[in-house]
Amino acid sequence: MSNLPGLYNYWIAVCLMMAGFYIVISHGNLVKKLVGLALFQTSVFIFYISLGKVADGDAPIVTPGVTLYSNPLPHVLILTAIVVGVATTAVGLALVVRIYEAYGSVEEDEIQVLDGADDDANEGTTSLEETPEADRQ
Amino acid sequence: MVLIAIAAIRLRDLFAVVILFGVYSLMTAVLFMDLDAVDVAFTEAAVGAGVTTVLMLSTLHLTGRWERRPRHSPMLSLLVVTVTGAALIYGTLDAPRLGDPEAPVHQHVAPRYLEQGPTEVGMPNLVTAVLASYRGYDTFGETVVIFTAGVAVLLLLGIREGPQTKAGRSAIGDQIVLRVVVKALLPLILLYGLYVQFHGDFGAGGGFQAGVIFATGFVLYDLVFGEGDARLVVPPRWLHRLAALGVLLYGGVGLWSLFDGKAFLDYSALAHDPVHGQHLGVLLVELGVGITVFSIVLAIFFALSGRGRRA
């Protein structure tokens, strides 16, 4: 318990992760949701990078006279994850743009209302098509 | 950083949220620097503060700037978040302390990379050595993921020719100060991109960062001098081919070693001397990564920015 303050790196990551999580579940705007997701993502990056840190270590680039390096493995994983992250975020943004073009809104609840209206309209048309069948019988 | 995150929750002006997120990314990059992860800091600064912000702003331009006031009460989500957060913090109580050299992460393969890396791969930057050589398969997978994501964006949006893509028209109007500054900076940015690309073996850097920096240079040019001019320099139809070329170059290096009777991506097949082969292999593979990342980032930007507002 004495060295409990050494855990603060995890706590920062948890706080940021929860902030991102909160945006994702409580906000209806799809762009804001993507920002929240990106926030969530960076918190995971911070978690990984802080795992790789060695006290008094140096950046993992071999230099004469330095013997202690931080762990390069998390750095590699996160480096590629950041670039993959921006690519996947871009896919999300592209989807948002298409949703906006189809619905005229990026608010989740409005889209659901529009979807419900669409379904009702479809039911209406199918029932109209079915009625002549029923008449003939 | 936590403060910025909370501000981002509260604000309903999405423009401010996106800019705050850019600031947040820059701070994350500084934090990574402090944690000895220079390569990662580099990537975060270029990607988070540069590319992501521009892409999100392009989307906002298409979808509108203001968020609506949420209709339902936030109490339920707040409860879920608090409970999850408390559980996670309880979980960290047994975790190794920050900077503990005895932590399990440092026990498995990392010591081998640190001890054997400099002699086996023969380059000082161990991050590049692990990325392109020891973990070459992973990186190939990541490159393919980026390629796939780029293809997905192009399938969803496509790169359009619109009135805003005519030569000589820029999105922010004719700003003489910006034009002069960008003209002075652009060669330096591109030169720096190339330096980062080919110096990744020795210092911080590599294909991922170089690709992003190079693309940022073109995005900057595009913003200040107009979309049409940027498209004259790099025609969009080249970008698909360039992206595929990058992946092919990476895969081709792997196949070359396969045909030589070695394992996939075993760089010792490339030269008689294994260390020399490693150098050549890492160089080619990083070049493939750089080309793919550059063309995909630029293609995504063109796809988002070339899309006109719906009438």
Side-chain angles (χ1 to χ4, degrees), chain B residues 9 21 23 35 65 84 91 95 99 111-112 114 164 194 196 232 268 307-308:
Chain B
I9 298 179
F21 188 73
V23 176
L35 291 169
R65 174 172 176 175
T84 321
R112 188 176 181 286
L114 285 171
Q164 74 275 25
L194 286 176
V196 168
L232 284 179
S268 56
R307 200 135 183 120

Side-chain angles (χ1 to χ4, degrees), chain B:
Chain B
M1 283 174 65
V2 178
L3 280 181
I4 291 185
I6 290 167
I9 298 179
R10 301 292 311 167
L11 278 170
R12 286 190 300 117
D13 182 354
L14 292 173
F15 179 76
V17 170
V18 169
I19 297 297
L20 267 181
F21 188 73
V23 176
Y24 165 84
S25 282
L26 208 56
M27 285 176 68
T28 316
V30 175
L31 181 71
F32 287 158
M33 199 71 203
D34 191 43
L35 291 169
D36 296 339
V38 279
D39 285 85
V40 187
F42 209 156
T43 319
E44 178 70 34
V47 169
V51 177
T52 313
T53 314
V54 170
L55 292 183
M56 285 191 168
L57 288 179
S58 309
T59 312
L60 283 189
H61 170 66
L62 295 172
T63 60
R65 174 172 176 175
W66 295 95
E67 186 194 11
R68 290 166 137 264
R69 195 175 290 279
R71 282 189 205 153
H72 44 81
S73 145
M75 288 319 288
L76 180 65
S77 3
L78 209 57
L79 182 75
V80 172
V81 166
T82 318
V83 170
T84 321
L88 284 176
I89 287 192
Y90 177 70
T92 63
L93 291 181
D94 302 334
R97 307 290 175 255
L98 174 63
D100 182 3
E102 300 298 313
V105 220
H106 306 309
Q107 304 303 326
H108 188 48
V109 286
R112 188 176 181 286
Y113 292 158
L114 285 171
E115 282 155 23
Q116 305 290 323
T119 47
E120 269 182 352
V121 188
M123 50 187 61
N125 188 347
L126 293 169
V127 175
T128 307
V130 175
L131 179 102
S133 187
Y134 289 116
R135 302 245 143 212
Y137 283 27
D138 297 9
T139 312
F140 186 50
E142 312 263 13
T143 315
V144 174
V145 170
I146 293 168
F147 180 68
T148 316
V151 170
V153 172
L154 291 181
L155 279 175
L156 282 166
L157 295 179
I159 298 182
R160 285 192 183 167
E161 301 281 335
Q164 74 275 25
T165 61
K166 284 215 180 76
R169 285 190 54 180
S170 101
I172 53 171
D174 198 2
Q175 305 271 0
I176 187 109
V177 177
L178 279 180
R179 277 178 185 248
V180 171
V181 170
V182 168
K183 242 180 200 161
L185 278 180
L186 197 64
L188 295 177
I189 294 176
L190 296 186
L191 194 64
Y192 187 57
L194 286 176
Y195 168 78
V196 168
Q197 170 78 53
F198 294 110
H199 203 257
D201 314 1
F202 305 101
F208 284 96
Q209 294 96 325
V212 175
I213 291 173
F214 225 71
T216 321
F218 279 96
V219 168
L220 193 65
Y221 182 80
D222 182 312
L223 288 175
V224 175
F225 289 93
E227 179 106 22
D229 289 7
R231 287 191 185 197
L232 284 179
V233 181
V234 188
R237 60 174 189 285
W238 285 16
L239 287 176
H240 322 253
R241 294 172 197 166
L242 269 180
L245 181 75
V247 177
L248 273 178
L249 185 59
Y250 201 140
V253 171
L255 284 180
W256 181 280
S257 53
L258 212 57
F259 285 135
D260 209 47
K262 303 268 173 43
F264 188 67
L265 288 175
D266 183 349
Y267 302 139
S268 56
L270 293 172
H272 293 297
D273 177 25
V275 175
H276 189 223
Q278 288 283 354
H279 257 296
L280 198 59
V282 170
L283 197 71
L284 286 173
V285 160
E286 290 271 22
L287 192 62
V289 170
I291 293 173
T292 303
V293 170
F294 161 70
S295 41
I296 289 298
V297 169
L298 202 57
I300 291 172
F301 175 72
F302 278 165
L304 275 172
S305 70
R307 200 135 183 120
R309 222 177 224 285
R310 201 177 69 148

Side-chain angles (χ1 to χ4, degrees), chain A residues 3 6-8 10-11 22 26-27 32 42 51 53 55 57 60-62 70-71 80 84 98 100-101 107 110, chain B residues 8-9 11 21 24 36-37 40 62 67-68 74 77 92 96-99 105-106 110 124 126 142 156 202 307 310:
Chain A
N3 48 3
L7 294 170
Y8 67 93
Y10 303 115
W11 296 344
Y22 176 77
S26 76
H27 284 259
K32 187 115 173 206
T42 33
L51 281 181
K53 169 78 181 165
I61 295 173
V62 177
S70 285
N71 192 343
T80 53
V84 170
R98 285 308 294 248
Y100 182 76
E101 285 176 352
E107 300 286 337
E110 284 176 11
Chain B
I9 298 179
L11 278 170
F21 188 73
Y24 165 84
D36 296 339
V40 187
L62 295 172
E67 186 194 11
R68 290 166 137 264
S77 3
T92 63
R97 307 290 175 255
L98 174 63
V105 220
H106 306 309
L126 293 169
E142 312 263 13
L156 282 166
F202 305 101
R307 200 135 183 120
R310 201 177 69 148

Side-chain angles (χ1 to χ4, degrees), chain A residues 118-136:
Chain A
D118 266 4
D119 286 349
D120 290 346
N122 285 336
E123 276 165 26
T125 52
T126 47
S127 63
L128 276 176
E129 281 163 8
E130 278 164 8
T131 35
E133 292 276 339
D135 284 347
R136 251 178 263 160

